[in-house]
Amino acid sequence: MADIALDALRAGASQLRPGSRHNLLPSLVEGQPVVADVWIDGSLGFVLVVHRRGDGFVSEELYYSMRNDDGDWLSCEHVSGSILGLAPQMSEALKNVPGGSSLAVVSESEALLHTGRREAEDGYEPVRALTVLVGEDADRIEIEDHSQGSATPGGQASMDVRSPLILLVLLPGRQLRVSALHREGSYFSAIGDPMEVFSSEP
């Protein structure tokens, strides 16, 4: 699966295409590991891979890599893994987000990783990763950066929902507000309450 993750980083945003959120379950039923999401933050890259276990439940695996001086991605390393408790044959599990919300954290992990940033002590920092289940009515995800001292305070990024599972990665000091949006013609309207997520360290 590390090779799948590396290919996903090399492909970048083109790895996930519109409509692929509806293809995740069939691919899992066929027993193939699937890239659910890719998160790239400067020279750091993270990939969420999901696969079906022998007992029929879905498990996630998180991989990460760094770019070398030439801008190429190094080999991916496995960071963490967990059972999501979702059975691929139970499509309702991906349609109905827990608690009736539009966004719900279904797993999280933290690891001390080599980031190479100037702020990192000896090059290592605690990195928090969240896997979020997205409601079926959501067509777009909007992410606002509210980190203190951010170079772009209030900076905003939006992306079409291409997977029922999205990955959020927080370096120390990072604070994000994540909103789910529903398309209404040529406009988007917010559905549910925004999700505030923080790193484990200020």
Side-chain angles (χ1 to χ4, degrees):
M1 279 186 274
D3 290 339
I4 294 175
L6 182 57
D7 288 342
L9 285 175
R10 289 171 174 166
S14 64
Q15 170 71 30
L16 300 171
R17 302 181 184 279
S20 63
R21 67 185 296 182
H22 303 296
N23 299 328
L24 180 67
L25 289 177
S27 298
L28 288 173
V29 170
E30 294 171 3
Q32 299 298 318
V34 181
V35 173
D37 202 8
V38 176
W39 180 280
I40 296 177
D41 189 340
S43 61
L44 297 173
F46 298 83
V47 181
L48 180 68
V49 180
V50 294
H51 62 98
R52 186 179 63 167
R53 290 162 40 96
D55 58 11
F57 287 96
V58 176
S59 180
E60 65 170 2
E61 309 296 338
L62 179 64
Y63 291 86
Y64 107 109
S65 178
M66 297 180 63
R67 297 184 192 270
N68 61 22
D69 293 338
D70 296 326
D72 297 325
W73 292 107
L74 302 173
S75 298
C76 285
E77 298 181 21
H78 185 260
V79 178
S80 63
S82 65
I83 299 174
L84 291 176
L86 303 173
Q89 65 272 23
M90 296 168 56
S91 59
E92 292 302 314
L94 295 181
K95 291 181 180 178
N96 302 317
V97 174
S101 175
S102 300
L103 301 166
V105 175
V106 291
S107 75
E108 62 179 289
S109 64
E110 184 174 320
L112 190 65
L113 299 178
H114 185 268
T115 66
R117 300 196 311 159
R118 287 176 297 178
E119 305 93 323
E121 184 176 349
D122 297 325
Y124 287 83
E125 295 180 279
V127 178
R128 185 183 182 205
L130 304 173
T131 299
V132 178
L133 185 62
V134 181
E136 191 178 47
D137 289 339
D139 298 304
R140 178 169 289 186
I141 297 297
E142 187 174 82
I143 300 176
E144 300 174 72
D145 187 352
H146 290 270
S147 311
Q148 282 192 334
S150 171
T152 56
Q156 193 175 92
S158 61
M159 64 207 75
D160 291 338
V161 176
R162 296 182 169 95
S163 166
L165 297 170
I166 63 171
L167 175 65
L168 303 174
V169 178
L170 299 119
L171 297 171
R174 189 64 55 86
Q175 177 182 348
L176 303 176
R177 176 181 294 164
V178 185
S179 304
L181 307 178
H182 177 68
R183 185 189 302 273
E184 297 178 353
S186 59
Y187 299 94
F188 287 91
S189 60
I191 52 176
D193 296 325
M195 174 185 292
E196 302 276 355
V197 292
F198 306 82
S199 63
S200 60
E201 291 192 2

